[in-house]
Amino acid sequence: MKLLLVTMFSVISPFSVQPAAVPAAHDMQWTAMEEKASEVTLAVDHSETFQHFRTLNGISLDDTMSELSTKKGQPVHKQEDPYLGCPEFHFRDVKVGVCVDTGAIHYVHIDASENDLILNGERIEMDIESIHQALGEPYYVAEDGEVFLRGDHALKVYMKSGSRQIEGIDLFDETVS
């Protein structure tokens, strides 16, 4: 009786070492299935274009005064920037803060009155959804707008408080205070 119980236990035990019988391939039923092509929606990849912020409306932070006047002509207006103590040159589509003693461009600014901005030569509509689509999510959201960083350069989109209405955009070197 003990032998019978031990034998039965070893056959039905989960610890049994006997392999289960696998059906032969020719005994299995086969069903032909039609392969479906998956739909792929490609996202527009701007990562190469906007890996760095080089120019805003054609002006680079590395431009000289000579290059600025070659690109934009004579300014229509010039006034003192109260924060930097340097002149701000107003051109038709852009304002540029330049410290004449160093020749350094501190910022490039465009007003919301422009229909779009031209960043690194690429045209982007002047609305926050288009800017997000092109640049991704902002690095920082401030009370007065959103900041996007690429290397040492920052792009700040100034917005009317409590809304998504753009008031202006600045390109500047975030390491310069």
Side-chain angles (χ1 to χ4, degrees), residues 55-80:
T55 62
L56 179 61
N57 283 26
I59 304 300
S60 167
L61 296 175
D62 298 324
D63 284 347
T64 63
M65 283 296 292
S66 175
E67 290 169 320
L68 179 61
S69 61
T70 300
K71 290 178 179 181
K72 295 295 178 181
Q74 291 300 312
V76 292
H77 183 69
K78 177 181 166 184
Q79 72 182 37
E80 187 80 10

Side-chain angles (χ1 to χ4, degrees), residues 112 115-117 124-138 140-141 144-148 155-160 163-169:
N115 292 329
D116 25 52
L117 62 130
I124 303 170
E125 288 182 38
M126 185 72 85
D127 65 74
I128 199 64
E129 289 79 19
S130 297
I131 293 170
H132 284 170
Q133 185 177 14
L135 304 180
E137 291 302 309
Y140 181 76
V141 177
D144 62 346
E146 298 181 353
V147 178
F148 299 85
L155 190 77
K156 181 157 185 183
V157 180
Y158 292 95
M159 292 187 288
K160 192 173 197 174
S163 77
R164 298 172 67 79
Q165 181 182 348
I166 295 176
E167 293 185 323
I169 297 178

Side-chain angles (χ1 to χ4, degrees), residues 3-17:
L3 183 60
L4 182 61
L5 285 174
V6 170
T7 307
M8 279 180 61
F9 181 71
S10 67
V11 172
I12 61 171
S13 167
F15 304 110
S16 173
V17 290

